[in-house]
Amino acid sequence: MRSSFPPDSPLHVFTDEEVQALFAAGSTRTCAANEVVVTEGQPGDSMFFLVEGQAEARLASGTAVRSYGAGHWFGELSFINPGHKRSATIVATTPARLQVLDQSSVQALLASHPRAVFTLLQRACAFLVDAERNLIADLRRRNTELVDTIMRLEFTRLRLTQEEETARTDGLTGLYNRRAFDAELPVFMQRANAIGSGLALLAMDLDHFK
Protein backbone atom coordinates (compact mmCIF):
# COMPACT_ATOMS: atom_id res chain seq x y z
CA MET A 1 0.00 0.00 0.00
CA ARG A 2 2.93 2.34 0.69
CA SER A 3 4.09 1.91 -2.91
CA SER A 4 1.06 3.89 -4.11
CA PHE A 5 2.55 7.04 -2.50
CA PRO A 6 5.67 9.00 -3.57
CA PRO A 7 9.03 7.77 -2.19
CA ASP A 8 9.38 10.89 -0.01
CA SER A 9 6.03 10.24 1.69
CA PRO A 10 6.26 10.01 5.49
CA LEU A 11 3.97 6.99 5.29
CA HIS A 12 7.02 4.92 4.32
CA VAL A 13 8.07 4.87 7.99
CA PHE A 14 5.18 2.45 8.56
CA THR A 15 4.71 -1.09 7.32
CA ASP A 16 1.99 -1.82 4.78
CA GLU A 17 -0.03 -3.46 7.54
CA GLU A 18 0.28 -0.35 9.73
CA VAL A 19 -0.74 1.94 6.87
CA GLN A 20 -3.83 -0.18 6.29
CA ALA A 21 -4.61 -0.09 10.01
CA LEU A 22 -4.18 3.69 10.14
CA PHE A 23 -6.55 4.23 7.26
CA ALA A 24 -9.04 1.67 8.54
CA ALA A 25 -9.16 3.38 11.94
CA GLY A 26 -10.18 6.72 10.42
CA SER A 27 -12.89 8.19 8.24
CA THR A 28 -12.75 9.73 4.78
CA ARG A 29 -13.19 13.42 4.08
CA THR A 30 -13.20 15.15 0.71
CA CYS A 31 -12.35 18.82 0.23
CA ALA A 32 -12.81 21.21 -2.66
CA ALA A 33 -10.00 23.45 -3.88
CA ASN A 34 -9.39 26.37 -1.45
CA GLU A 35 -11.43 24.71 1.28
CA VAL A 36 -10.10 25.19 4.82
CA VAL A 37 -9.34 21.90 6.54
CA VAL A 38 -8.30 23.27 9.95
CA THR A 39 -8.01 26.83 11.28
CA GLU A 40 -5.06 28.30 13.18
CA GLY A 41 -5.70 28.82 16.88
CA GLN A 42 -8.65 26.46 17.14
CA PRO A 43 -8.27 23.44 19.44
CA GLY A 44 -8.26 20.06 17.73
CA ASP A 45 -8.24 16.37 18.53
CA SER A 46 -7.63 14.77 15.14
CA MET A 47 -4.99 14.41 12.44
CA PHE A 48 -5.23 14.07 8.67
CA PHE A 49 -3.57 11.88 6.06
CA LEU A 50 -3.61 13.39 2.59
CA VAL A 51 -4.52 10.52 0.27
CA GLU A 52 -5.04 12.54 -2.91
CA GLY A 53 -4.51 16.18 -3.86
CA GLN A 54 -2.42 19.04 -2.48
CA ALA A 55 -2.65 21.27 0.61
CA GLU A 56 -0.61 23.96 2.30
CA ALA A 57 -0.15 25.43 5.78
CA ARG A 58 -0.74 29.18 6.06
CA LEU A 59 -0.13 31.62 8.89
CA ALA A 60 -2.66 34.25 9.98
CA SER A 61 -0.96 36.68 7.60
CA GLY A 62 -1.81 34.36 4.70
CA THR A 63 1.82 33.39 4.13
CA ALA A 64 2.25 29.76 3.04
CA VAL A 65 4.86 28.03 5.20
CA ARG A 66 4.56 24.40 4.14
CA SER A 67 3.13 22.28 1.33
CA TYR A 68 1.64 18.80 1.54
CA GLY A 69 1.26 16.17 -1.15
CA ALA A 70 -0.20 12.68 -1.29
CA GLY A 71 1.07 10.56 1.60
CA HIS A 72 1.80 13.46 3.93
CA TRP A 73 0.00 14.08 7.18
CA PHE A 74 -0.66 17.02 9.49
CA GLY A 75 -2.35 17.76 12.81
CA GLU A 76 -0.56 14.96 14.69
CA LEU A 77 0.06 17.16 17.76
CA SER A 78 -3.68 17.62 18.26
CA PHE A 79 -4.18 13.90 17.66
CA ILE A 80 -1.67 12.97 20.38
CA ASN A 81 -2.58 15.86 22.70
CA PRO A 82 -6.33 16.60 22.37
CA GLY A 83 -7.15 20.28 22.79
CA HIS A 84 -3.82 21.41 21.33
CA LYS A 85 -4.41 24.60 19.34
CA ARG A 86 -3.69 24.38 15.64
CA SER A 87 -0.44 26.16 14.79
CA ALA A 88 -1.49 27.02 11.23
CA THR A 89 -4.45 27.07 8.89
CA ILE A 90 -4.44 24.15 6.43
CA VAL A 91 -6.06 24.79 3.07
CA ALA A 92 -6.65 22.29 0.27
CA THR A 93 -5.09 23.89 -2.82
CA THR A 94 -6.65 21.27 -5.11
CA PRO A 95 -9.58 18.90 -4.71
CA ALA A 96 -8.38 16.51 -2.03
CA ARG A 97 -9.27 13.31 -0.26
CA LEU A 98 -8.17 12.89 3.34
CA GLN A 99 -8.28 10.18 5.95
CA VAL A 100 -9.21 11.63 9.36
CA LEU A 101 -8.06 10.00 12.59
CA ASP A 102 -9.85 11.13 15.75
CA GLN A 103 -9.62 10.04 19.38
CA SER A 104 -11.64 6.87 18.79
CA SER A 105 -9.01 6.01 16.17
CA VAL A 106 -6.33 6.27 18.87
CA GLN A 107 -8.05 3.64 20.98
CA ALA A 108 -8.51 1.33 18.01
CA LEU A 109 -4.85 1.64 17.00
CA LEU A 110 -3.59 1.17 20.56
CA ALA A 111 -5.51 -2.08 20.70
CA SER A 112 -4.50 -3.38 17.27
CA HIS A 113 -1.25 -1.64 16.23
CA PRO A 114 0.35 0.21 19.18
CA ARG A 115 3.64 0.38 17.26
CA ALA A 116 1.99 2.67 14.69
CA VAL A 117 0.93 5.08 17.47
CA PHE A 118 4.46 4.99 18.90
CA THR A 119 5.89 5.81 15.46
CA LEU A 120 3.52 8.76 15.16
CA LEU A 121 4.67 9.95 18.58
CA GLN A 122 8.31 9.66 17.53
CA ARG A 123 7.71 11.68 14.38
CA ALA A 124 5.79 14.34 16.34
CA CYS A 125 8.68 14.66 18.82
CA ALA A 126 11.18 14.90 15.96
CA PHE A 127 9.06 17.67 14.42
CA LEU A 128 9.05 19.60 17.70
CA VAL A 129 12.83 19.22 18.08
CA ASP A 130 13.39 20.49 14.53
CA ALA A 131 11.01 23.39 15.14
CA GLU A 132 12.89 24.30 18.33
CA ARG A 133 16.23 24.20 16.52
CA ASN A 134 14.90 26.39 13.74
CA LEU A 135 13.49 28.83 16.30
CA ILE A 136 16.83 29.04 18.14
CA ALA A 137 18.69 29.58 14.86
CA ASP A 138 16.21 32.28 13.85
CA LEU A 139 16.51 34.01 17.23
CA ARG A 140 20.30 33.98 16.97
CA ARG A 141 20.15 35.45 13.48
CA ARG A 142 17.72 38.15 14.58
CA ASN A 143 19.86 38.91 17.63
CA THR A 144 22.91 39.34 15.40
CA GLU A 145 20.93 41.67 13.15
CA LEU A 146 19.71 43.64 16.18
CA VAL A 147 23.25 44.05 17.55
CA ASP A 148 24.44 45.19 14.13
CA THR A 149 21.57 47.70 13.90
CA ILE A 150 22.31 49.06 17.38
CA MET A 151 25.99 49.50 16.49
CA ARG A 152 25.05 51.36 13.31
CA LEU A 153 22.65 53.61 15.21
CA GLU A 154 25.28 54.34 17.85
CA PHE A 155 27.82 55.19 15.17
CA THR A 156 25.31 57.49 13.48
CA ARG A 157 24.45 59.14 16.82
CA LEU A 158 28.11 59.80 17.59
CA ARG A 159 28.72 61.16 14.11
CA LEU A 160 25.73 63.48 14.33
CA THR A 161 26.82 64.61 17.79
CA GLN A 162 30.29 65.38 16.48
CA GLU A 163 28.93 67.21 13.46
CA GLU A 164 26.54 69.20 15.66
CA GLU A 165 29.38 70.14 18.02
CA THR A 166 31.55 71.17 15.09
CA ALA A 167 28.75 73.39 13.77
CA ARG A 168 28.39 75.06 17.22
CA THR A 169 32.06 75.88 17.83
CA ASP A 170 34.72 78.07 16.27
CA GLY A 171 37.30 76.02 14.47
CA LEU A 172 40.22 78.20 15.58
CA THR A 173 39.48 78.77 19.27
CA GLY A 174 37.06 75.96 20.08
CA LEU A 175 34.69 78.51 21.60
CA TYR A 176 30.95 78.46 21.03
CA ASN A 177 29.85 80.51 18.01
CA ARG A 178 26.70 82.43 17.06
CA ARG A 179 24.81 79.20 16.29
CA ALA A 180 25.43 77.95 19.84
CA PHE A 181 24.49 81.36 21.25
CA ASP A 182 21.15 81.35 19.43
CA ALA A 183 20.42 77.81 20.66
CA GLU A 184 21.51 78.26 24.29
CA LEU A 185 20.17 81.75 25.09
CA PRO A 186 16.49 80.65 25.25
CA VAL A 187 17.49 77.82 27.59
CA PHE A 188 19.25 80.21 29.98
CA MET A 189 16.30 82.62 29.86
CA GLN A 190 13.82 79.85 30.71
CA ARG A 191 16.04 78.65 33.54
CA ALA A 192 16.32 82.20 34.96
CA ASN A 193 12.55 82.67 34.80
CA ALA A 194 11.98 79.30 36.43
CA ILE A 195 14.15 80.07 39.46
CA GLY A 196 13.33 83.78 39.57
CA SER A 197 16.87 85.03 39.07
CA GLY A 198 18.36 87.64 36.83
CA LEU A 199 20.37 87.01 33.70
CA ALA A 200 23.47 88.94 32.66
CA LEU A 201 24.97 89.16 29.20
CA LEU A 202 28.51 90.31 28.62
CA ALA A 203 29.49 91.26 25.08
CA MET A 204 33.05 92.05 24.03
CA ASP A 205 34.56 93.17 20.73
CA LEU A 206 38.22 92.19 20.49
CA ASP A 207 39.97 94.09 17.77
CA HIS A 208 42.44 92.14 15.64
CA PHE A 209 41.73 89.01 17.67
CA LYS A 210 42.56 86.71 14.77
Side-chain angles (χ1 to χ4, degrees):
M1 186 172 185
R2 292 175 302 166
S3 60
S4 61
F5 295 100
D8 63 344
S9 166
L11 282 176
H12 288 279
V13 300
F14 300 102
T15 65
D16 281 335
E17 182 182 356
E18 288 173 335
V19 173
Q20 291 176 353
L22 286 167
F23 282 19
S27 58
T28 301
R29 174 180 170 181
T30 57
C31 294
N34 299 317
E35 181 177 339
V36 174
V37 183
V38 299
T39 302
E40 180 180 355
Q42 291 185 349
D45 63 355
S46 57
M47 66 176 296
F48 302 83
F49 289 91
L50 190 56
V51 182
E52 296 176 356
Q54 301 285 326
E56 66 182 19
R58 299 175 183 174
L59 301 179
S61 61
T63 304
V65 293
R66 190 173 182 182
S67 298
Y68 302 96
H72 288 80
W73 68 69
F74 51 85
E76 64 271 23
L77 295 181
S78 295
F79 177 68
I80 295 170
N81 181 33
H84 177 82
K85 292 184 178 180
R86 306 291 188 182
S87 57
T89 296
I90 309 296
V91 179
T93 53
T94 67
R97 180 164 63 91
L98 305 105
Q99 201 69 8
V100 186
L101 271 65
D102 57 19
Q103 293 307 297
S104 63
S105 306
V106 179
Q107 302 305 318
L109 287 170
L110 285 174
S112 62
H113 292 80
R115 177 71 187 180
V117 178
F118 179 71
T119 301
L120 278 174
L121 182 60
Q122 281 185 313
R123 293 299 296 258
C125 290
F127 171 80
L128 290 175
V129 170
D130 288 342
E132 183 180 22
R133 287 174 178 170
N134 291 335
L135 177 60
I136 292 174
D138 185 59
L139 288 174
R140 286 175 176 169
R141 178 182 60 80
R142 290 178 180 273
N143 184 64
T144 300
E145 292 176 351
L146 178 59
V147 170
D148 182 64
T149 300
I150 292 175
M151 291 179 64
R152 291 176 182 273
L153 289 174
E154 180 64 14
F155 174 77
T156 301
R157 185 188 67 81
L158 290 174
R159 187 179 63 183
L160 290 175
T161 300
Q162 292 171 352
E163 291 178 353
E164 180 182 0
E165 189 65 17
T166 299
R168 287 162 51 94
T169 57
D170 178 74
L172 179 63
T173 64
L175 299 175
Y176 284 129
N177 58 19
R178 176 60 182 270
R179 182 191 296 268
F181 174 81
D182 290 341
E184 295 296 333
L185 182 59
V187 176
F188 280 99
M189 293 177 65
Q190 290 176 4
R191 184 183 304 166
N193 291 331
I195 63 177
S197 68
L199 185 65
L201 174 64
L202 176 63
M204 292 184 295
D205 181 17
L206 304 181
D207 292 333
H208 311 298
F209 178 72
K210 296 184 179 181

